[in-house]
Amino acid sequence: MQRRQWSNWAGTAKATPQRVHRPRSAAEIAEVVAGVAEAGHRVRAWGSGHSFTAIAAADSDALDLAAWTGIERADLETQQVTVRSGTTLRTLNAALDALGLAMTNLGDIDAQTIAGAISTGTHGTGARFGGISTQIVALELVLADGSVARCSADERPELFHAARVGLGALGVISTVTLQCEQSFVLSAQERPEPLEQVLEGFDDNAANNDHFEFYWFPYGAKALVKRNNRLPVDAERKPLSRLKQFVDYELTENVAFGGLCRLGRAVPKLVRPLGAFASQVSSPREYSDLSHRVFVTHRGVRFVESEYAVPRESVLDVLAELRGVVPRLKDPVAFPVEVRVAAADDIWLSTANGRDSAYIAIHQFLGMPYREYFSAFENVVGQVGGRPHWGKMHDLDASVLRTRYPHFDDFLRIRKECDPAGTFANTYLDRVLGSA
């Protein structure tokens, strides 16, 4: 154990825990948790720090699961894989590749641990697909007394409904069993299109593509549209060449775009013309590759982010209001707005619980003013019952969140059963769930 400062990826949350524990087995996780609880302290598990909130911040005891990784068992017949909670999505995808398997859907970042991703409700896009947590068939959690609870749809089903998006409030996830599928190839079509055309065709695009999303540059007339569709199992892969990948993604989307953002941060009056320019220069590309190589994109430019899930039928109205807000902001916006979709699910604290959803994510380049923008956005989505992504920036507390989640109090009841003394609480959970 040693004391060191922890910071998340964006630098928006920091903590200096008194003790950092690095267990290497499920038994060691249980031993640490039981000891912390007996001492009357609080403990939080660290993931990769890719949440923009302080959800993982630990002031007393931190649990670093970087040594608790890998696939524990795989059943190729059922295509179910049990993975240790500290495993990153990048490592998991590579291991699944070796087994001829894949996850059904992914977001565009693979640096998160599997436990961190599901605990915060990480998702990808696709009108017929849910978030990563919908792919879970069983979980094992270490509870506050050090006991291990296994849950699934048939075994402790209420705990299962709660723990699949549990915010780390119920216990420390030790293993996750995922329903995978045979490896598959995605075809990708990415190109700039007129924004008005994209909005007009939003419902058709969401319905007619397996995975659809777009990026709107606030001062531009075009949006970058991404359509990913599944190909037959035996389809030939046609990946981008290494040169094309380097030019389009590393040079254009990271190096060049990062340079534009830094210039805009230094000279704010340039942000609007630079944003209009950025919306025009994306080059169209089409390729196909293994699914995770298409889903995932390297993000080298750092930013802050807020994201809300809104009812699918409300998304165009919300975007219309947001388009009216942006020109009135005191400080310009350097980053695009991302729009995705997801199917309804039955997970109690999932942002898609009980309703087909659209996700609107707003961003600002790191170091540029964002609070007025984020606050205005929160007011707009609040009018349609928007639910904030648990790992992204928002100002809501338990009194408001209770009105937006039908099973909020059911979750609190299970939390009380699993952690009566608040061993897994921290300041962020005290705000969004209320004091344990």
Short mmCIF file of all heavy atoms in Angstrom, two decimals, residues 132-179:
data_model
loop_
_atom_site.label_atom_id
_atom_site.label_comp_id
_atom_site.label_asym_id
_atom_site.label_seq_id
_atom_site.Cartn_x
_atom_site.Cartn_y
_atom_site.Cartn_z
N ILE A 132 -23.52 -1.73 -23.02
CA ILE A 132 -22.69 -2.89 -22.71
C ILE A 132 -23.31 -3.73 -21.60
O ILE A 132 -23.23 -4.96 -21.61
CB ILE A 132 -21.27 -2.42 -22.33
CG1 ILE A 132 -20.57 -1.84 -23.57
CG2 ILE A 132 -20.44 -3.57 -21.76
CD1 ILE A 132 -19.19 -1.29 -23.30
N SER A 133 -23.98 -3.09 -20.65
CA SER A 133 -24.56 -3.83 -19.52
C SER A 133 -25.64 -4.81 -19.94
O SER A 133 -25.92 -5.78 -19.21
CB SER A 133 -25.12 -2.85 -18.49
OG SER A 133 -24.07 -2.12 -17.88
N THR A 134 -26.27 -4.59 -21.08
CA THR A 134 -27.31 -5.54 -21.53
C THR A 134 -26.70 -6.84 -22.02
O THR A 134 -27.43 -7.82 -22.25
CB THR A 134 -28.17 -4.93 -22.66
OG1 THR A 134 -27.35 -4.67 -23.81
CG2 THR A 134 -28.81 -3.63 -22.20
N GLN A 135 -25.39 -6.90 -22.17
CA GLN A 135 -24.71 -8.12 -22.61
C GLN A 135 -24.29 -9.00 -21.44
O GLN A 135 -23.70 -10.06 -21.63
CB GLN A 135 -23.50 -7.76 -23.47
CG GLN A 135 -23.87 -6.97 -24.73
CD GLN A 135 -22.66 -6.38 -25.45
OE1 GLN A 135 -21.73 -7.09 -25.81
NE2 GLN A 135 -22.66 -5.06 -25.65
N ILE A 136 -24.59 -8.55 -20.21
CA ILE A 136 -24.19 -9.29 -19.01
C ILE A 136 -25.20 -10.40 -18.72
O ILE A 136 -26.41 -10.16 -18.73
CB ILE A 136 -24.10 -8.36 -17.80
CG1 ILE A 136 -23.07 -7.26 -18.04
CG2 ILE A 136 -23.75 -9.14 -16.54
CD1 ILE A 136 -23.09 -6.18 -16.96
N VAL A 137 -24.71 -11.60 -18.42
CA VAL A 137 -25.60 -12.69 -18.01
C VAL A 137 -25.41 -13.03 -16.53
O VAL A 137 -26.29 -13.65 -15.93
CB VAL A 137 -25.41 -13.95 -18.87
CG1 VAL A 137 -25.86 -13.68 -20.29
CG2 VAL A 137 -23.97 -14.45 -18.86
N ALA A 138 -24.30 -12.63 -15.93
CA ALA A 138 -24.10 -12.88 -14.49
C ALA A 138 -22.98 -11.98 -13.98
O ALA A 138 -22.10 -11.55 -14.74
CB ALA A 138 -23.75 -14.34 -14.23
N LEU A 139 -23.04 -11.69 -12.68
CA LEU A 139 -22.03 -10.88 -12.00
C LEU A 139 -21.69 -11.52 -10.67
O LEU A 139 -22.54 -12.16 -10.02
CB LEU A 139 -22.57 -9.47 -11.71
CG LEU A 139 -22.74 -8.47 -12.84
CD1 LEU A 139 -23.56 -7.30 -12.34
CD2 LEU A 139 -21.38 -7.99 -13.33
N GLU A 140 -20.45 -11.33 -10.24
CA GLU A 140 -20.08 -11.64 -8.87
C GLU A 140 -19.58 -10.36 -8.22
O GLU A 140 -18.74 -9.65 -8.79
CB GLU A 140 -19.00 -12.72 -8.82
CG GLU A 140 -19.54 -14.11 -9.15
CD GLU A 140 -18.55 -15.22 -8.87
OE1 GLU A 140 -17.37 -14.90 -8.58
OE2 GLU A 140 -18.94 -16.39 -8.94
N LEU A 141 -20.13 -10.04 -7.04
CA LEU A 141 -19.75 -8.83 -6.32
C LEU A 141 -19.28 -9.19 -4.91
O LEU A 141 -19.86 -10.06 -4.26
CB LEU A 141 -20.93 -7.87 -6.17
CG LEU A 141 -21.58 -7.29 -7.40
CD1 LEU A 141 -22.79 -8.12 -7.79
CD2 LEU A 141 -22.02 -5.86 -7.12
N VAL A 142 -18.26 -8.48 -4.47
CA VAL A 142 -17.85 -8.57 -3.07
C VAL A 142 -18.63 -7.50 -2.31
O VAL A 142 -18.51 -6.31 -2.59
CB VAL A 142 -16.33 -8.33 -2.93
CG1 VAL A 142 -15.94 -8.34 -1.45
CG2 VAL A 142 -15.55 -9.39 -3.70
N LEU A 143 -19.43 -7.93 -1.36
CA LEU A 143 -20.26 -7.01 -0.59
C LEU A 143 -19.47 -6.46 0.60
O LEU A 143 -18.33 -6.85 0.85
CB LEU A 143 -21.52 -7.73 -0.11
CG LEU A 143 -22.38 -8.38 -1.21
CD1 LEU A 143 -23.64 -8.98 -0.61
CD2 LEU A 143 -22.72 -7.38 -2.31
N ALA A 144 -20.10 -5.55 1.33
CA ALA A 144 -19.39 -4.81 2.37
C ALA A 144 -18.89 -5.71 3.51
O ALA A 144 -17.90 -5.37 4.17
CB ALA A 144 -20.29 -3.71 2.94
N ASP A 145 -19.52 -6.84 3.72
CA ASP A 145 -19.07 -7.75 4.78
C ASP A 145 -18.01 -8.73 4.30
O ASP A 145 -17.59 -9.63 5.03
CB ASP A 145 -20.26 -8.51 5.39
CG ASP A 145 -20.98 -9.38 4.37
OD1 ASP A 145 -20.55 -9.42 3.19
OD2 ASP A 145 -21.98 -10.01 4.74
N GLY A 146 -17.58 -8.57 3.04
CA GLY A 146 -16.57 -9.46 2.48
C GLY A 146 -17.13 -10.69 1.83
O GLY A 146 -16.37 -11.47 1.23
N SER A 147 -18.43 -10.90 1.91
CA SER A 147 -19.03 -12.06 1.24
C SER A 147 -19.14 -11.80 -0.25
O SER A 147 -19.13 -10.65 -0.71
CB SER A 147 -20.41 -12.34 1.83
OG SER A 147 -21.30 -11.27 1.56
N VAL A 148 -19.24 -12.87 -1.03
CA VAL A 148 -19.36 -12.78 -2.48
C VAL A 148 -20.78 -13.15 -2.88
O VAL A 148 -21.29 -14.21 -2.51
CB VAL A 148 -18.35 -13.70 -3.18
CG1 VAL A 148 -18.52 -13.63 -4.70
CG2 VAL A 148 -16.92 -13.30 -2.80
N ALA A 149 -21.42 -12.25 -3.62
CA ALA A 149 -22.78 -12.49 -4.09
C ALA A 149 -22.77 -12.69 -5.60
O ALA A 149 -22.21 -11.86 -6.33
CB ALA A 149 -23.68 -11.31 -3.73
N ARG A 150 -23.36 -13.77 -6.05
CA ARG A 150 -23.52 -14.01 -7.48
C ARG A 150 -24.95 -13.66 -7.86
O ARG A 150 -25.89 -14.00 -7.12
CB ARG A 150 -23.21 -15.46 -7.84
CG ARG A 150 -23.41 -15.78 -9.32
CD ARG A 150 -23.10 -17.22 -9.64
NE ARG A 150 -23.51 -17.56 -11.00
CZ ARG A 150 -22.79 -17.33 -12.10
NH1 ARG A 150 -21.60 -16.76 -11.98
NH2 ARG A 150 -23.24 -17.68 -13.29
N CYS A 151 -25.12 -12.98 -8.98
CA CYS A 151 -26.47 -12.63 -9.40
C CYS A 151 -26.61 -12.79 -10.91
O CYS A 151 -25.66 -12.64 -11.67
CB CYS A 151 -26.85 -11.22 -8.97
SG CYS A 151 -25.79 -9.91 -9.64
N SER A 152 -27.84 -13.12 -11.32
CA SER A 152 -28.18 -13.28 -12.73
C SER A 152 -29.68 -13.07 -12.84
O SER A 152 -30.36 -12.75 -11.85
CB SER A 152 -27.79 -14.67 -13.22
OG SER A 152 -28.57 -15.67 -12.58
N ALA A 153 -30.23 -13.28 -14.01
CA ALA A 153 -31.67 -13.14 -14.18
C ALA A 153 -32.44 -14.13 -13.32
O ALA A 153 -33.60 -13.88 -12.93
CB ALA A 153 -32.05 -13.30 -15.64
N ASP A 154 -31.82 -15.26 -12.99
CA ASP A 154 -32.49 -16.30 -12.20
C ASP A 154 -32.04 -16.36 -10.75
O ASP A 154 -32.74 -16.90 -9.90
CB ASP A 154 -32.25 -17.68 -12.86
CG ASP A 154 -32.80 -17.77 -14.27
OD1 ASP A 154 -33.91 -17.24 -14.50
OD2 ASP A 154 -32.11 -18.32 -15.13
N GLU A 155 -30.87 -15.84 -10.46
CA GLU A 155 -30.28 -15.91 -9.12
C GLU A 155 -30.14 -14.50 -8.57
O GLU A 155 -29.40 -13.69 -9.11
CB GLU A 155 -28.91 -16.60 -9.21
CG GLU A 155 -28.26 -16.87 -7.89
CD GLU A 155 -26.94 -17.62 -8.06
OE1 GLU A 155 -26.55 -17.91 -9.21
OE2 GLU A 155 -26.29 -17.90 -7.03
N ARG A 156 -30.89 -14.19 -7.54
CA ARG A 156 -30.94 -12.84 -6.97
C ARG A 156 -31.24 -11.80 -8.06
O ARG A 156 -30.46 -10.88 -8.32
CB ARG A 156 -29.64 -12.51 -6.24
CG ARG A 156 -29.33 -13.47 -5.10
CD ARG A 156 -28.17 -13.02 -4.23
NE ARG A 156 -28.52 -11.83 -3.44
CZ ARG A 156 -27.75 -11.36 -2.46
NH1 ARG A 156 -26.61 -11.98 -2.15
NH2 ARG A 156 -28.11 -10.28 -1.79
N PRO A 157 -32.39 -11.95 -8.73
CA PRO A 157 -32.69 -11.10 -9.90
C PRO A 157 -32.77 -9.61 -9.58
O PRO A 157 -32.42 -8.78 -10.43
CB PRO A 157 -34.03 -11.63 -10.40
CG PRO A 157 -34.62 -12.38 -9.24
CD PRO A 157 -33.45 -12.94 -8.50
N GLU A 158 -33.22 -9.23 -8.37
CA GLU A 158 -33.28 -7.80 -8.06
C GLU A 158 -31.87 -7.21 -7.96
O GLU A 158 -31.62 -6.10 -8.44
CB GLU A 158 -34.06 -7.56 -6.77
CG GLU A 158 -35.56 -7.74 -6.94
CD GLU A 158 -36.33 -7.07 -5.82
OE1 GLU A 158 -35.88 -7.15 -4.65
OE2 GLU A 158 -37.37 -6.45 -6.11
N LEU A 159 -30.96 -7.95 -7.36
CA LEU A 159 -29.57 -7.49 -7.31
C LEU A 159 -29.02 -7.37 -8.73
O LEU A 159 -28.27 -6.44 -9.04
CB LEU A 159 -28.73 -8.45 -6.48
CG LEU A 159 -27.24 -8.12 -6.37
CD1 LEU A 159 -27.03 -6.74 -5.76
CD2 LEU A 159 -26.51 -9.19 -5.54
N PHE A 160 -29.39 -8.30 -9.59
CA PHE A 160 -28.95 -8.27 -10.99
C PHE A 160 -29.47 -7.02 -11.70
O PHE A 160 -28.73 -6.35 -12.42
CB PHE A 160 -29.44 -9.53 -11.69
CG PHE A 160 -28.91 -9.73 -13.08
CD1 PHE A 160 -27.54 -9.84 -13.31
CD2 PHE A 160 -29.77 -9.83 -14.16
CE1 PHE A 160 -27.05 -10.04 -14.60
CE2 PHE A 160 -29.29 -10.02 -15.44
CZ PHE A 160 -27.92 -10.13 -15.67
N HIS A 161 -30.74 -6.69 -11.49
CA HIS A 161 -31.31 -5.48 -12.09
C HIS A 161 -30.55 -4.23 -11.63
O HIS A 161 -30.38 -3.28 -12.40
CB HIS A 161 -32.78 -5.33 -11.71
CG HIS A 161 -33.71 -6.22 -12.47
ND1 HIS A 161 -33.68 -6.34 -13.85
CD2 HIS A 161 -34.72 -7.03 -12.06
CE1 HIS A 161 -34.61 -7.18 -14.24
NE2 HIS A 161 -35.25 -7.62 -13.18
N ALA A 162 -30.11 -4.25 -10.38
CA ALA A 162 -29.42 -3.09 -9.83
C ALA A 162 -27.94 -3.06 -10.21
O ALA A 162 -27.40 -2.01 -10.56
CB ALA A 162 -29.57 -3.07 -8.31
N ALA A 163 -27.29 -4.19 -10.15
CA ALA A 163 -25.82 -4.23 -10.25
C ALA A 163 -25.29 -4.07 -11.66
O ALA A 163 -24.11 -3.74 -11.84
CB ALA A 163 -25.30 -5.53 -9.65
N ARG A 164 -26.12 -4.29 -12.67
CA ARG A 164 -25.60 -4.17 -14.04
C ARG A 164 -25.22 -2.72 -14.38
O ARG A 164 -24.37 -2.50 -15.23
CB ARG A 164 -26.61 -4.72 -15.05
CG ARG A 164 -26.59 -6.25 -15.12
CD ARG A 164 -27.60 -6.74 -16.13
NE ARG A 164 -28.97 -6.57 -15.65
CZ ARG A 164 -30.04 -6.71 -16.43
NH1 ARG A 164 -29.91 -6.99 -17.72
NH2 ARG A 164 -31.25 -6.56 -15.92
N VAL A 165 -25.87 -1.76 -13.75
CA VAL A 165 -25.39 -0.37 -13.75
C VAL A 165 -25.45 0.07 -12.28
O VAL A 165 -26.41 0.67 -11.83
CB VAL A 165 -26.24 0.56 -14.63
CG1 VAL A 165 -25.71 2.00 -14.57
CG2 VAL A 165 -26.22 0.09 -16.08
N GLY A 166 -24.41 -0.28 -11.53
CA GLY A 166 -24.46 -0.14 -10.08
C GLY A 166 -23.68 1.01 -9.50
O GLY A 166 -23.69 1.21 -8.27
N LEU A 167 -22.96 1.78 -10.32
CA LEU A 167 -22.20 2.95 -9.88
C LEU A 167 -21.14 2.62 -8.83
O LEU A 167 -20.60 3.51 -8.19
CB LEU A 167 -23.13 4.04 -9.31
CG LEU A 167 -24.41 4.38 -10.05
CD1 LEU A 167 -25.05 5.62 -9.43
CD2 LEU A 167 -24.18 4.57 -11.53
N GLY A 168 -20.84 1.33 -8.65
CA GLY A 168 -19.91 0.94 -7.60
C GLY A 168 -20.49 1.10 -6.21
O GLY A 168 -19.77 1.05 -5.22
N ALA A 169 -21.82 1.25 -6.12
CA ALA A 169 -22.47 1.55 -4.84
C ALA A 169 -22.91 0.31 -4.09
O ALA A 169 -23.27 0.39 -2.92
CB ALA A 169 -23.69 2.45 -5.08
N LEU A 170 -22.89 -0.84 -4.74
CA LEU A 170 -23.42 -2.06 -4.12
C LEU A 170 -22.31 -2.98 -3.62
O LEU A 170 -22.52 -3.76 -2.70
CB LEU A 170 -24.27 -2.83 -5.13
CG LEU A 170 -25.38 -2.02 -5.81
CD1 LEU A 170 -26.09 -2.87 -6.86
CD2 LEU A 170 -26.37 -1.50 -4.79
N GLY A 171 -21.17 -2.89 -4.23
CA GLY A 171 -20.06 -3.76 -3.89
C GLY A 171 -18.99 -3.63 -4.95
O GLY A 171 -19.12 -2.85 -5.90
N VAL A 172 -17.93 -4.41 -4.81
CA VAL A 172 -16.85 -4.42 -5.79
C VAL A 172 -17.08 -5.59 -6.74
O VAL A 172 -17.12 -6.75 -6.30
CB VAL A 172 -15.48 -4.55 -5.11
CG1 VAL A 172 -14.37 -4.67 -6.16
CG2 VAL A 172 -15.23 -3.36 -4.20
N ILE A 173 -17.27 -5.30 -8.00
CA ILE A 173 -17.45 -6.37 -8.98
C ILE A 173 -16.14 -7.14 -9.09
O ILE A 173 -15.07 -6.56 -9.28
CB ILE A 173 -17.84 -5.79 -10.35
CG1 ILE A 173 -19.20 -5.09 -10.27
CG2 ILE A 173 -17.87 -6.89 -11.41
CD1 ILE A 173 -19.57 -4.33 -11.53
N SER A 174 -16.23 -8.46 -8.97
CA SER A 174 -15.01 -9.28 -9.13
C SER A 174 -14.96 -9.94 -10.50
O SER A 174 -13.90 -9.98 -11.13
CB SER A 174 -14.91 -10.33 -8.02
OG SER A 174 -16.06 -11.16 -7.99
N THR A 175 -16.10 -10.47 -10.97
CA THR A 175 -16.14 -11.03 -12.32
C THR A 175 -17.44 -10.65 -13.01
O THR A 175 -18.46 -10.40 -12.36
CB THR A 175 -16.02 -12.58 -12.32
OG1 THR A 175 -17.16 -13.14 -11.67
CG2 THR A 175 -14.73 -13.03 -11.67
N VAL A 176 -17.37 -10.62 -14.34
CA VAL A 176 -18.52 -10.33 -15.18
C VAL A 176 -18.63 -11.44 -16.22
O VAL A 176 -17.64 -11.75 -16.90
CB VAL A 176 -18.35 -8.98 -15.92
CG1 VAL A 176 -19.59 -8.66 -16.75
CG2 VAL A 176 -18.04 -7.86 -14.95
N THR A 177 -19.80 -12.04 -16.35
CA THR A 177 -20.02 -13.03 -17.39
C THR A 177 -20.83 -12.38 -18.50
O THR A 177 -21.93 -11.87 -18.28
CB THR A 177 -20.75 -14.27 -16.86
OG1 THR A 177 -19.97 -14.86 -15.81
CG2 THR A 177 -20.95 -15.30 -17.96
N LEU A 178 -20.26 -12.40 -19.71
CA LEU A 178 -20.84 -11.71 -20.86
C LEU A 178 -21.37 -12.70 -21.88
O LEU A 178 -20.75 -13.75 -22.12
CB LEU A 178 -19.77 -10.84 -21.53
CG LEU A 178 -19.17 -9.72 -20.69
CD1 LEU A 178 -17.88 -9.21 -21.33
CD2 LEU A 178 -20.17 -8.58 -20.52
N GLN A 179 -22.50 -12.35 -22.49
CA GLN A 179 -23.00 -13.10 -23.63
C GLN A 179 -22.35 -12.52 -24.88
O GLN A 179 -22.67 -11.40 -25.29
CB GLN A 179 -24.52 -13.02 -23.74
CG GLN A 179 -25.08 -13.82 -24.91
CD GLN A 179 -24.80 -15.30 -24.78
OE1 GLN A 179 -25.20 -15.94 -23.79
NE2 GLN A 179 -24.08 -15.88 -25.74
#
